[in-house]
Amino acid sequence: MGTMVEALRAFFETNRIIVYSVYGQVFFTMGILLAFQSLRHSRLQLARALPWLALFGISHGLHEWGDVFIPIQATYLPPTLVDLLHIAQVFLLAFSFLCLFQFGVATLSPLPPRWRWVYWAPGAIFVLWVLGPFYGGLTQIPGVLPDIAAWHRVAAALAHYSLGLPGGLMAAYGLRVHAHRHIAPLELPQIIRTLRIAGLAMAGYGIAGGLIGPAVPFFPGDRLNETALFQALGIPMPVWRSVLGLILLAALAQALEVFQVEMDRRIEEMERMNIMAMERERIARDLHDHVLQQLYAAGLMAEALRERVGADAAAVEVADRLLAALNRAVEDIRMVLSTMQRGLHPGRLRSLLAELASDPRFSSLVHVETHLEVPDLPLEPVQAAHVAAILSEALSNAVRHARARRVRVEAQMDSGRCLLRIQDDGVGMAPDRPEGMGLRSMRERALLLGGSLRIESAPGRGTCVCVEFPVEQRS
Protein backbone atom coordinates (compact mmCIF):
# COMPACT_ATOMS: atom_id res chain seq x y z
CA MET A 1 0.00 0.00 0.00
CA GLY A 2 2.82 2.37 0.89
CA THR A 3 4.56 1.67 -2.39
CA MET A 4 1.38 2.47 -4.34
CA VAL A 5 0.91 5.76 -2.47
CA GLU A 6 4.53 6.70 -3.17
CA ALA A 7 4.07 5.83 -6.85
CA LEU A 8 0.93 7.98 -7.04
CA ARG A 9 2.71 10.87 -5.33
CA ALA A 10 5.57 10.63 -7.76
CA PHE A 11 3.23 10.46 -10.74
CA PHE A 12 1.22 13.51 -9.73
CA GLU A 13 4.30 15.46 -8.71
CA THR A 14 5.75 14.83 -12.17
CA ASN A 15 2.48 15.84 -13.87
CA ARG A 16 1.64 18.70 -11.54
CA ILE A 17 1.11 21.18 -14.40
CA ILE A 18 -1.30 18.82 -16.16
CA VAL A 19 -3.29 18.32 -12.93
CA TYR A 20 -3.78 22.05 -12.39
CA SER A 21 -4.49 22.62 -16.07
CA VAL A 22 -7.26 20.00 -16.06
CA TYR A 23 -8.64 21.33 -12.77
CA GLY A 24 -8.86 24.85 -14.15
CA GLN A 25 -10.31 23.58 -17.43
CA VAL A 26 -13.13 21.71 -15.67
CA PHE A 27 -14.34 24.75 -13.75
CA PHE A 28 -13.71 27.25 -16.54
CA THR A 29 -15.71 25.08 -18.97
CA MET A 30 -18.50 24.76 -16.43
CA GLY A 31 -18.58 28.53 -16.06
CA ILE A 32 -18.76 29.17 -19.81
CA LEU A 33 -21.52 26.59 -20.34
CA LEU A 34 -23.56 27.94 -17.43
CA ALA A 35 -23.06 31.51 -18.69
CA PHE A 36 -24.76 30.54 -21.95
CA GLN A 37 -27.52 28.71 -20.06
CA SER A 38 -28.12 31.78 -17.89
CA LEU A 39 -29.19 33.66 -21.03
CA ARG A 40 -32.27 31.42 -21.25
CA HIS A 41 -35.57 33.07 -20.42
CA SER A 42 -37.18 31.36 -17.48
CA ARG A 43 -39.41 32.14 -14.53
CA LEU A 44 -37.49 29.69 -12.32
CA GLN A 45 -35.28 31.20 -9.65
CA LEU A 46 -32.52 28.82 -10.75
CA ALA A 47 -32.14 30.76 -14.01
CA ARG A 48 -31.67 34.03 -12.12
CA ALA A 49 -29.09 32.38 -9.84
CA LEU A 50 -27.05 30.74 -12.63
CA PRO A 51 -24.92 33.83 -13.47
CA TRP A 52 -23.37 33.57 -9.99
CA LEU A 53 -22.45 29.92 -10.55
CA ALA A 54 -21.08 30.78 -14.00
CA LEU A 55 -18.91 33.52 -12.46
CA PHE A 56 -17.71 31.03 -9.86
CA GLY A 57 -16.64 28.54 -12.52
CA ILE A 58 -14.83 31.10 -14.68
CA SER A 59 -13.01 32.90 -11.85
CA HIS A 60 -12.13 29.64 -10.06
CA GLY A 61 -10.73 28.18 -13.28
CA LEU A 62 -8.60 31.29 -13.81
CA HIS A 63 -7.35 31.05 -10.23
CA GLU A 64 -6.26 27.44 -10.65
CA TRP A 65 -4.50 28.22 -13.91
CA GLY A 66 -2.42 30.67 -11.91
CA ASP A 67 -0.59 27.70 -10.38
CA VAL A 68 0.46 26.77 -13.89
CA PHE A 69 1.29 30.15 -15.40
CA ILE A 70 2.76 32.12 -12.47
CA PRO A 71 5.79 29.81 -12.05
CA ILE A 72 6.40 30.11 -15.80
CA GLN A 73 6.13 33.92 -15.64
CA ALA A 74 8.49 33.99 -12.63
CA THR A 75 11.37 32.84 -14.82
CA TYR A 76 11.52 36.12 -16.74
CA LEU A 77 9.31 38.71 -14.97
CA PRO A 78 10.63 40.97 -12.20
CA PRO A 79 9.75 39.84 -8.65
CA THR A 80 7.37 42.78 -8.14
CA LEU A 81 5.15 41.72 -11.04
CA VAL A 82 5.23 38.11 -9.86
CA ASP A 83 4.08 39.33 -6.42
CA LEU A 84 1.20 41.15 -8.08
CA LEU A 85 0.22 37.97 -9.92
CA HIS A 86 0.10 36.09 -6.61
CA ILE A 87 -2.02 38.84 -5.08
CA ALA A 88 -4.44 38.71 -8.04
CA GLN A 89 -4.60 34.92 -7.77
CA VAL A 90 -5.59 35.03 -4.11
CA PHE A 91 -8.21 37.69 -4.83
CA LEU A 92 -9.67 35.53 -7.64
CA LEU A 93 -9.94 32.60 -5.23
CA ALA A 94 -11.92 34.60 -2.68
CA PHE A 95 -14.06 36.19 -5.40
CA SER A 96 -14.91 32.78 -6.84
CA PHE A 97 -16.01 31.56 -3.41
CA LEU A 98 -18.07 34.74 -2.99
CA CYS A 99 -19.90 33.93 -6.26
CA LEU A 100 -20.53 30.36 -5.09
CA PHE A 101 -21.92 31.69 -1.80
CA GLN A 102 -24.16 34.17 -3.65
CA PHE A 103 -25.43 31.38 -5.90
CA GLY A 104 -26.54 29.42 -2.87
CA VAL A 105 -28.33 32.44 -1.40
CA ALA A 106 -29.95 33.27 -4.75
CA THR A 107 -31.42 29.77 -5.12
CA LEU A 108 -33.19 30.26 -1.76
CA SER A 109 -34.94 33.47 -2.85
CA PRO A 110 -37.36 34.75 -1.84
CA LEU A 111 -36.37 34.48 1.81
CA PRO A 112 -38.74 35.18 4.73
CA PRO A 113 -38.40 38.70 6.18
CA ARG A 114 -36.49 37.51 9.25
CA TRP A 115 -33.86 35.85 7.03
CA ARG A 116 -33.35 38.76 4.60
CA TRP A 117 -29.99 39.50 6.20
CA VAL A 118 -28.66 36.33 4.54
CA TYR A 119 -28.66 38.20 1.20
CA TRP A 120 -25.89 40.43 2.56
CA ALA A 121 -23.89 37.76 4.41
CA PRO A 122 -21.58 36.69 1.53
CA GLY A 123 -20.69 40.27 0.63
CA ALA A 124 -20.09 41.18 4.28
CA ILE A 125 -17.77 38.19 4.80
CA PHE A 126 -15.91 39.02 1.59
CA VAL A 127 -15.39 42.64 2.69
CA LEU A 128 -14.07 41.46 6.07
CA TRP A 129 -11.69 39.10 4.31
CA VAL A 130 -10.46 41.89 2.00
CA LEU A 131 -9.92 44.30 4.89
CA GLY A 132 -8.36 41.65 7.14
CA PRO A 133 -6.26 38.79 5.70
CA PHE A 134 -5.98 40.31 2.23
CA TYR A 135 -5.15 44.00 2.72
CA GLY A 136 -4.15 43.83 6.38
CA GLY A 137 -1.82 40.91 5.71
CA LEU A 138 -0.18 42.70 2.79
CA THR A 139 0.60 45.78 4.89
CA GLN A 140 2.55 43.64 7.35
CA ILE A 141 5.10 42.29 4.83
CA PRO A 142 7.85 44.08 2.90
CA GLY A 143 6.76 42.60 -0.44
CA VAL A 144 9.49 40.08 -1.31
CA LEU A 145 8.43 36.72 -2.69
CA PRO A 146 9.01 34.46 0.38
CA ASP A 147 6.80 36.68 2.51
CA ILE A 148 4.22 36.86 -0.28
CA ALA A 149 4.18 33.06 -0.41
CA ALA A 150 3.45 32.84 3.33
CA TRP A 151 0.78 35.54 3.07
CA HIS A 152 -0.64 33.69 0.06
CA ARG A 153 -1.15 30.50 2.08
CA VAL A 154 -2.76 32.27 5.05
CA ALA A 155 -5.06 34.50 2.98
CA ALA A 156 -6.08 31.58 0.75
CA ALA A 157 -6.75 29.31 3.75
CA LEU A 158 -8.96 31.95 5.39
CA ALA A 159 -10.81 32.40 2.09
CA HIS A 160 -11.42 28.63 2.01
CA TYR A 161 -12.75 28.59 5.59
CA SER A 162 -14.81 31.79 5.59
CA LEU A 163 -16.22 31.73 2.03
CA GLY A 164 -15.53 28.40 0.32
CA LEU A 165 -16.91 26.09 3.01
CA PRO A 166 -20.14 27.99 3.79
CA GLY A 167 -20.53 28.85 0.11
CA GLY A 168 -20.39 25.23 -1.04
CA LEU A 169 -22.74 24.04 1.71
CA MET A 170 -25.16 26.92 1.07
CA ALA A 171 -25.17 26.16 -2.67
CA ALA A 172 -25.87 22.48 -1.96
CA TYR A 173 -28.72 23.37 0.41
CA GLY A 174 -30.10 25.92 -2.06
CA LEU A 175 -30.19 23.36 -4.89
CA ARG A 176 -32.03 20.90 -2.64
CA VAL A 177 -34.60 23.47 -1.52
CA HIS A 178 -35.09 24.74 -5.08
CA ALA A 179 -35.68 21.19 -6.34
CA HIS A 180 -38.43 20.56 -3.79
CA ARG A 181 -39.95 24.02 -3.90
CA HIS A 182 -39.98 24.79 -7.63
CA ILE A 183 -39.15 21.64 -9.62
CA ALA A 184 -41.25 19.09 -7.72
CA PRO A 185 -44.56 20.81 -8.70
CA LEU A 186 -43.57 20.33 -12.36
CA GLU A 187 -43.58 16.55 -11.81
CA LEU A 188 -40.14 15.96 -13.29
CA PRO A 189 -38.57 13.18 -11.17
CA GLN A 190 -35.52 12.83 -13.44
CA ILE A 191 -34.68 16.53 -13.06
CA ILE A 192 -35.12 16.31 -9.29
CA ARG A 193 -32.74 13.33 -9.12
CA THR A 194 -30.05 15.11 -11.11
CA LEU A 195 -30.41 18.23 -8.96
CA ARG A 196 -29.92 16.05 -5.89
CA ILE A 197 -26.76 14.64 -7.41
CA ALA A 198 -25.60 18.17 -8.20
CA GLY A 199 -26.35 19.16 -4.61
CA LEU A 200 -24.30 16.25 -3.24
CA ALA A 201 -21.42 17.13 -5.56
CA MET A 202 -21.67 20.74 -4.43
CA ALA A 203 -21.63 19.69 -0.76
CA GLY A 204 -18.61 17.49 -1.47
CA TYR A 205 -16.88 20.41 -3.12
CA GLY A 206 -17.76 22.63 -0.18
CA ILE A 207 -15.85 20.25 2.08
CA ALA A 208 -13.02 19.43 -0.32
CA GLY A 209 -12.65 23.01 -1.54
CA GLY A 210 -13.53 24.85 1.66
CA LEU A 211 -12.40 22.79 4.62
CA ILE A 212 -9.24 21.36 3.08
CA GLY A 213 -6.96 24.22 2.09
CA PRO A 214 -3.27 25.12 2.22
CA ALA A 215 -1.14 24.11 5.19
CA VAL A 216 -1.11 26.96 7.74
CA PRO A 217 0.12 27.22 11.34
CA PHE A 218 -3.39 27.31 12.90
CA PHE A 219 -6.38 25.00 13.25
CA PRO A 220 -7.71 23.25 11.20
CA GLY A 221 -5.08 23.90 8.52
CA ASP A 222 -2.25 22.69 10.73
CA ARG A 223 -3.75 19.19 10.74
CA LEU A 224 -6.18 18.92 7.84
CA ASN A 225 -4.70 20.41 4.68
CA GLU A 226 -3.87 19.65 1.06
CA THR A 227 -0.28 18.65 1.79
CA ALA A 228 -1.20 16.18 4.56
CA LEU A 229 -3.85 14.48 2.42
CA PHE A 230 -1.51 14.29 -0.55
CA GLN A 231 1.13 12.59 1.61
CA ALA A 232 -1.45 10.18 3.03
CA LEU A 233 -3.36 9.28 -0.14
CA GLY A 234 -0.96 10.08 -2.94
CA ILE A 235 -3.65 11.95 -4.87
CA PRO A 236 -3.65 15.77 -4.74
CA MET A 237 -6.79 17.68 -3.80
CA PRO A 238 -7.17 19.26 -7.30
CA VAL A 239 -7.88 15.76 -8.62
CA TRP A 240 -10.65 15.16 -6.08
CA ARG A 241 -12.08 18.60 -6.74
CA SER A 242 -11.93 18.03 -10.50
CA VAL A 243 -13.91 14.80 -10.15
CA LEU A 244 -16.53 16.59 -8.06
CA GLY A 245 -16.58 19.41 -10.63
CA LEU A 246 -17.17 16.94 -13.48
CA ILE A 247 -20.03 15.29 -11.55
CA LEU A 248 -21.49 18.71 -10.85
CA LEU A 249 -21.18 19.77 -14.50
CA ALA A 250 -22.79 16.57 -15.82
CA ALA A 251 -25.65 16.75 -13.30
CA LEU A 252 -26.33 20.43 -13.96
CA ALA A 253 -26.21 19.93 -17.74
CA GLN A 254 -28.99 17.36 -17.46
CA ALA A 255 -30.94 19.23 -14.78
CA LEU A 256 -31.00 22.42 -16.84
CA GLU A 257 -33.22 20.65 -19.36
CA VAL A 258 -35.93 21.90 -17.01
CA PHE A 259 -35.71 25.24 -18.85
CA GLN A 260 -36.69 23.56 -22.12
CA VAL A 261 -39.49 21.65 -20.40
CA GLU A 262 -40.72 24.89 -18.84
CA MET A 263 -40.63 26.68 -22.20
CA ASP A 264 -42.47 23.82 -23.93
CA ARG A 265 -45.20 23.90 -21.31
CA ARG A 266 -45.56 27.66 -21.53
CA ILE A 267 -45.79 27.45 -25.32
CA GLU A 268 -48.42 24.71 -25.02
CA GLU A 269 -50.35 26.91 -22.60
CA MET A 270 -50.19 29.82 -25.05
CA GLU A 271 -51.42 27.56 -27.84
CA ARG A 272 -54.33 26.37 -25.70
CA MET A 273 -55.21 29.95 -24.82
CA ASN A 274 -55.07 31.00 -28.49
CA ILE A 275 -57.21 28.04 -29.57
CA MET A 276 -59.74 28.74 -26.82
CA ALA A 277 -59.87 32.43 -27.74
CA MET A 278 -60.37 31.67 -31.44
CA GLU A 279 -63.07 29.09 -30.70
CA ARG A 280 -64.82 31.48 -28.31
CA GLU A 281 -64.82 34.22 -30.95
CA ARG A 282 -66.05 31.79 -33.63
CA ILE A 283 -68.96 30.72 -31.43
CA ALA A 284 -69.70 34.36 -30.62
CA ARG A 285 -69.77 35.26 -34.33
CA ASP A 286 -72.05 32.30 -35.09
CA LEU A 287 -74.41 33.28 -32.30
CA HIS A 288 -74.49 36.89 -33.45
CA ASP A 289 -74.62 36.32 -37.20
CA HIS A 290 -76.93 33.31 -37.32
CA VAL A 291 -78.76 32.37 -34.13
CA LEU A 292 -79.50 35.92 -33.00
CA GLN A 293 -80.68 36.94 -36.48
CA GLN A 294 -82.98 33.92 -36.63
CA LEU A 295 -84.46 34.89 -33.28
CA TYR A 296 -85.01 38.44 -34.52
CA ALA A 297 -86.80 37.03 -37.57
CA ALA A 298 -88.89 34.73 -35.39
CA GLY A 299 -89.82 37.70 -33.21
CA LEU A 300 -90.99 39.69 -36.22
CA MET A 301 -93.12 36.76 -37.38
CA ALA A 302 -94.60 36.39 -33.89
CA GLU A 303 -95.55 40.08 -33.86
CA ALA A 304 -97.19 39.72 -37.28
CA LEU A 305 -99.07 36.65 -36.07
CA ARG A 306 -100.33 38.55 -33.00
CA GLU A 307 -101.69 41.34 -35.18
CA ARG A 308 -103.56 38.84 -37.36
CA VAL A 309 -105.30 36.91 -34.59
CA GLY A 310 -107.45 39.96 -33.87
CA ALA A 311 -109.91 39.52 -30.97
CA ASP A 312 -109.05 35.89 -30.22
CA ALA A 313 -107.93 36.30 -26.62
CA ALA A 314 -106.45 32.81 -26.36
CA ALA A 315 -104.39 33.26 -29.52
CA VAL A 316 -103.24 36.71 -28.35
CA GLU A 317 -102.10 35.22 -25.04
CA VAL A 318 -100.16 32.49 -26.84
CA ALA A 319 -98.60 35.07 -29.18
CA ASP A 320 -97.63 37.28 -26.21
CA ARG A 321 -95.99 34.33 -24.43
CA LEU A 322 -94.17 33.44 -27.64
CA LEU A 323 -92.89 37.01 -27.99
CA ALA A 324 -91.82 37.06 -24.32
CA ALA A 325 -89.94 33.77 -24.74
CA LEU A 326 -88.20 35.03 -27.87
CA ASN A 327 -87.23 38.28 -26.14
CA ARG A 328 -85.82 36.33 -23.18
CA ALA A 329 -83.84 34.14 -25.57
CA VAL A 330 -82.46 37.25 -27.30
CA GLU A 331 -81.47 38.78 -23.95
CA ASP A 332 -79.88 35.51 -22.84
CA ILE A 333 -77.80 35.31 -26.02
CA ARG A 334 -76.79 38.95 -25.66
CA MET A 335 -75.67 38.21 -22.12
CA VAL A 336 -73.67 35.20 -23.32
CA LEU A 337 -72.09 37.32 -26.06
CA SER A 338 -71.25 40.01 -23.53
CA THR A 339 -69.61 37.40 -21.30
CA MET A 340 -67.67 35.83 -24.17
CA GLN A 341 -66.51 39.22 -25.43
CA ARG A 342 -65.84 40.82 -22.07
CA GLY A 343 -62.17 41.11 -23.09
CA LEU A 344 -63.15 43.38 -25.99
CA HIS A 345 -62.48 46.96 -25.00
CA PRO A 346 -61.68 50.07 -26.95
CA GLY A 347 -57.98 50.59 -27.36
CA ARG A 348 -55.37 52.88 -28.83
CA LEU A 349 -53.11 51.71 -31.61
CA ARG A 350 -49.62 52.58 -30.37
CA SER A 351 -50.38 51.70 -26.73
CA LEU A 352 -51.88 48.37 -27.72
CA LEU A 353 -48.88 47.38 -29.87
CA ALA A 354 -46.38 48.48 -27.20
CA GLU A 355 -48.27 46.65 -24.46
CA LEU A 356 -48.39 43.39 -26.38
CA ALA A 357 -44.72 43.62 -27.41
CA SER A 358 -43.72 43.93 -23.75
CA ASP A 359 -46.12 41.20 -22.56
CA PRO A 360 -44.10 38.83 -20.30
CA ARG A 361 -45.69 35.85 -22.08
CA PHE A 362 -43.50 36.74 -25.06
CA SER A 363 -40.72 38.98 -23.73
CA SER A 364 -39.65 36.26 -21.27
CA LEU A 365 -39.10 33.85 -24.17
CA VAL A 366 -37.76 36.07 -26.95
CA HIS A 367 -36.18 39.53 -27.16
CA VAL A 368 -38.78 41.87 -28.68
CA GLU A 369 -37.71 45.20 -30.18
CA THR A 370 -40.25 47.86 -31.14
CA HIS A 371 -40.13 50.68 -33.65
CA LEU A 372 -43.57 52.27 -33.57
CA GLU A 373 -43.98 55.38 -35.74
CA VAL A 374 -47.75 55.55 -35.38
CA PRO A 375 -49.95 57.95 -33.41
CA ASP A 376 -52.01 56.64 -30.53
CA LEU A 377 -55.20 56.49 -32.59
CA PRO A 378 -58.38 55.13 -30.97
CA LEU A 379 -59.61 51.68 -32.03
CA GLU A 380 -63.05 50.16 -31.76
CA PRO A 381 -63.29 47.13 -29.46
CA VAL A 382 -63.49 44.68 -32.37
CA GLN A 383 -60.57 46.40 -34.14
CA ALA A 384 -58.45 46.25 -30.99
CA ALA A 385 -59.30 42.55 -30.55
CA HIS A 386 -58.28 41.71 -34.13
CA VAL A 387 -55.03 43.72 -33.99
CA ALA A 388 -54.13 42.16 -30.63
CA ALA A 389 -54.89 38.66 -31.90
CA ILE A 390 -52.77 39.11 -35.04
CA LEU A 391 -49.74 40.41 -33.13
CA SER A 392 -50.13 37.77 -30.39
CA GLU A 393 -50.32 34.96 -32.94
CA ALA A 394 -47.27 36.30 -34.81
CA LEU A 395 -45.22 36.50 -31.60
CA SER A 396 -46.40 33.03 -30.53
CA ASN A 397 -45.38 31.60 -33.90
CA ALA A 398 -41.95 33.23 -33.60
CA VAL A 399 -41.44 31.45 -30.27
CA ARG A 400 -42.98 28.03 -30.78
CA HIS A 401 -42.38 27.40 -34.49
CA ALA A 402 -39.56 29.70 -35.65
CA ARG A 403 -37.52 29.25 -32.43
CA ALA A 404 -36.48 32.88 -32.82
CA ARG A 405 -34.14 34.74 -30.47
CA ARG A 406 -35.15 38.25 -31.55
CA VAL A 407 -38.34 39.77 -32.96
CA ARG A 408 -38.74 43.30 -34.29
CA VAL A 409 -42.19 44.90 -34.32
CA GLU A 410 -42.49 47.90 -36.65
CA ALA A 411 -45.53 50.06 -37.34
CA GLN A 412 -46.06 53.21 -39.39
CA MET A 413 -48.93 55.14 -40.96
CA ASP A 414 -49.33 55.74 -44.68
CA SER A 415 -52.39 57.52 -46.10
CA GLY A 416 -54.69 56.45 -43.28
CA ARG A 417 -53.50 52.86 -43.25
CA CYS A 418 -51.38 51.18 -40.61
CA LEU A 419 -48.47 49.11 -41.90
CA LEU A 420 -47.50 46.54 -39.26
CA ARG A 421 -44.44 44.28 -39.66
CA ILE A 422 -43.40 41.49 -37.29
CA GLN A 423 -39.91 40.27 -38.30
CA ASP A 424 -38.14 37.39 -36.53
CA ASP A 425 -34.70 35.78 -36.90
CA GLY A 426 -36.01 32.22 -36.68
CA VAL A 427 -35.66 29.19 -38.92
CA GLY A 428 -38.09 30.50 -41.54
CA MET A 429 -40.29 28.29 -43.70
CA ALA A 430 -40.56 27.11 -47.28
CA PRO A 431 -42.88 29.06 -49.62
CA ASP A 432 -44.94 25.94 -50.40
CA ARG A 433 -45.49 25.03 -46.76
CA PRO A 434 -49.24 24.67 -46.03
CA GLU A 435 -50.68 27.26 -43.68
CA GLY A 436 -51.96 26.17 -40.32
CA MET A 437 -54.99 27.36 -38.42
CA GLY A 438 -53.08 30.23 -36.82
CA LEU A 439 -52.00 31.80 -40.12
CA ARG A 440 -55.48 31.33 -41.60
CA SER A 441 -56.99 33.02 -38.56
CA MET A 442 -54.57 35.95 -38.95
CA ARG A 443 -55.59 36.36 -42.61
CA GLU A 444 -59.29 36.28 -41.68
CA ARG A 445 -58.77 38.92 -39.00
CA ALA A 446 -56.85 41.13 -41.43
CA LEU A 447 -59.79 40.87 -43.87
CA LEU A 448 -62.25 41.70 -41.07
CA LEU A 449 -60.15 44.81 -40.39
CA GLY A 450 -60.58 45.76 -44.04
CA GLY A 451 -56.92 45.06 -44.78
CA SER A 452 -54.61 42.32 -45.95
CA LEU A 453 -51.81 40.12 -44.68
CA ARG A 454 -48.82 38.55 -46.39
CA ILE A 455 -46.00 36.32 -45.21
CA GLU A 456 -42.39 36.82 -46.32
CA SER A 457 -40.19 33.90 -45.36
CA ALA A 458 -37.44 31.56 -46.52
CA PRO A 459 -35.67 28.66 -44.79
CA GLY A 460 -32.94 29.96 -42.51
CA ARG A 461 -33.84 33.64 -43.12
CA GLY A 462 -36.59 34.23 -40.61
CA THR A 463 -40.19 35.23 -41.19
CA CYS A 464 -41.87 38.59 -41.66
CA VAL A 465 -45.62 39.01 -41.13
CA CYS A 466 -46.80 42.14 -42.97
CA VAL A 467 -50.26 43.47 -42.13
CA GLU A 468 -51.96 46.49 -43.66
CA PHE A 469 -55.31 47.84 -42.46
CA PRO A 470 -57.15 51.17 -42.33
CA VAL A 471 -57.34 53.19 -39.14
CA GLU A 472 -59.67 56.17 -38.90
CA GLN A 473 -57.75 59.18 -37.65
CA ARG A 474 -60.16 60.59 -35.12
CA SER A 475 -59.55 62.04 -31.69
Side-chain angles (χ1 to χ4, degrees), residues 37-204:
Q37 287 289 337
S38 67
L39 299 176
R40 301 283 293 272
H41 296 289
S42 173
R43 297 176 183 176
L44 294 175
Q45 183 61 32
L46 182 61
R48 292 187 282 273
L50 273 185
W52 287 112
L53 192 56
L55 274 175
F56 161 71
I58 293 172
S59 56
H60 200 66
L62 292 175
H63 162 265
E64 294 303 327
W65 280 336
D67 287 328
V68 176
F69 294 109
I70 291 179
I72 297 174
Q73 304 295 320
T75 59
Y76 56 87
L77 286 180
T80 303
L81 289 180
V82 176
D83 290 352
L84 290 177
L85 289 176
H86 278 284
I87 293 171
Q89 186 187 20
V90 175
F91 185 86
L92 269 177
L93 175 68
F95 177 76
S96 70
F97 287 150
L98 167 67
C99 295
L100 182 63
F101 207 157
Q102 285 290 167
F103 167 75
V105 173
T107 54
L108 295 173
S109 298
L111 290 170
R114 64 175 180 169
W115 292 102
R116 296 287 172 82
W117 59 270
V118 176
Y119 289 126
W120 307 98
I125 296 173
F126 180 73
V127 169
L128 290 175
W129 177 87
V130 170
L131 295 177
F134 185 76
Y135 178 75
L138 282 174
T139 59
Q140 302 300 316
I141 59 178
V144 295
L145 190 57
D147 292 324
I148 283 288
W151 166 84
H152 189 150
R153 288 193 297 273
V154 172
L158 291 175
H160 279 274
Y161 303 147
S162 62
L163 289 166
L165 178 60
L169 297 180
M170 178 69 78
Y173 178 69
L175 282 175
R176 180 178 179 82
V177 171
H178 186 83
H180 288 281
R181 183 187 297 173
H182 301 288
I183 308 301
L186 299 177
E187 298 181 355
L188 300 170
Q190 181 64 29
I191 301 297
I192 293 176
R193 282 194 294 270
T194 53
L195 279 178
R196 286 174 179 169
I197 293 172
L200 291 174
M202 191 71 78

Side-chain angles (χ1 to χ4, degrees), residues 407-430:
V407 178
R408 182 175 175 86
V409 179
E410 301 178 355
Q412 58 185 8
M413 295 295 298
D414 183 12
S415 302
R417 300 180 72 83
C418 176
L419 307 178
L420 176 63
R421 290 169 53 90
I422 304 100
Q423 174 78 54
D424 68 57
D425 63 352
V427 298
M429 58 183 179

Side-chain angles (χ1 to χ4, degrees), residues 142-445:
V144 295
L145 190 57
D147 292 324
I148 283 288
W151 166 84
H152 189 150
R153 288 193 297 273
V154 172
L158 291 175
H160 279 274
Y161 303 147
S162 62
L163 289 166
L165 178 60
L169 297 180
M170 178 69 78
Y173 178 69
L175 282 175
R176 180 178 179 82
V177 171
H178 186 83
H180 288 281
R181 183 187 297 173
H182 301 288
I183 308 301
L186 299 177
E187 298 181 355
L188 300 170
Q190 181 64 29
I191 301 297
I192 293 176
R193 282 194 294 270
T194 53
L195 279 178
R196 286 174 179 169
I197 293 172
L200 291 174
M202 191 71 78
Y205 179 82
I207 296 172
L211 186 60
I212 305 173
V216 288
F218 53 83
F219 184 82
D222 56 345
R223 299 181 181 180
L224 185 63
N225 55 65
E226 297 172 353
T227 303
L229 283 178
F230 181 46
Q231 293 298 323
L233 301 177
I235 301 176
M237 281 309 299
V239 174
W240 300 107
R241 293 170 188 160
S242 297
V243 172
L244 291 169
L246 285 172
I247 296 173
L248 177 62
L249 177 58
L252 284 176
Q254 188 171 359
L256 293 182
E257 291 179 5
V258 68
F259 295 152
Q260 186 61 47
V261 174
E262 180 200 19
M263 179 178 290
D264 290 342
R265 292 188 177 183
R266 289 167 64 185
I267 290 172
E268 289 174 2
E269 181 63 25
M270 287 195 312
E271 289 177 339
R272 284 196 296 269
M273 292 175 62
N274 285 339
I275 291 172
M276 290 174 61
M278 287 189 292
E279 185 64 14
R280 186 168 57 246
E281 291 183 14
R282 184 191 65 79
I283 294 172
R285 286 198 301 269
D286 289 344
L287 286 174
H288 181 273
D289 297 342
H290 301 292
V291 179
L292 197 58
Q293 301 307 318
Q294 293 292 336
L295 288 175
Y296 285 146
L300 292 175
M301 288 188 288
E303 288 180 356
L305 178 62
R306 185 182 183 283
E307 292 176 358
R308 290 190 177 186
V309 297
D312 189 339
V316 169
E317 182 182 356
V318 172
D320 286 341
R321 284 187 298 188
L322 177 58
L323 278 171
L326 289 171
N327 288 333
R328 283 196 300 271
V330 169
E331 290 303 319
D332 287 344
I333 290 179
R334 284 177 174 172
M335 185 176 297
V336 170
L337 288 174
S338 176
T339 301
M340 296 178 70
Q341 298 176 340
R342 63 181 178 272
L344 296 182
H345 301 290
R348 289 190 170 273
L349 181 59
R350 182 185 176 87
S351 300
L352 178 64
L353 296 176
E355 180 181 355
L356 284 170
S358 61
D359 191 327
R361 290 183 303 158
F362 308 114
S363 60
S364 64
L365 298 173
V366 66
H367 179 69
V368 182
E369 298 178 359
T370 57
H371 189 68
L372 307 176
E373 297 182 341
V374 292
D376 216 15
L377 299 175
L379 300 174
E380 296 293 337
V382 174
Q383 282 182 304
H386 289 321
V387 172
I390 290 172
L391 181 53
S392 296
E393 181 67 24
L395 292 173
S396 297
N397 288 340
V399 172
R400 66 176 183 262
H401 297 311
R403 300 192 296 275
R405 302 281 302 200
R406 304 175 71 88
V407 178
R408 182 175 175 86
V409 179
E410 301 178 355
Q412 58 185 8
M413 295 295 298
D414 183 12
S415 302
R417 300 180 72 83
C418 176
L419 307 178
L420 176 63
R421 290 169 53 90
I422 304 100
Q423 174 78 54
D424 68 57
D425 63 352
V427 298
M429 58 183 179
D432 56 350
R433 178 178 175 177
E435 291 187 352
M437 183 175 62
L439 290 179
R440 289 197 299 271
S441 174
M442 291 165 64
R443 291 192 186 279
E444 292 175 1
R445 291 181 182 279

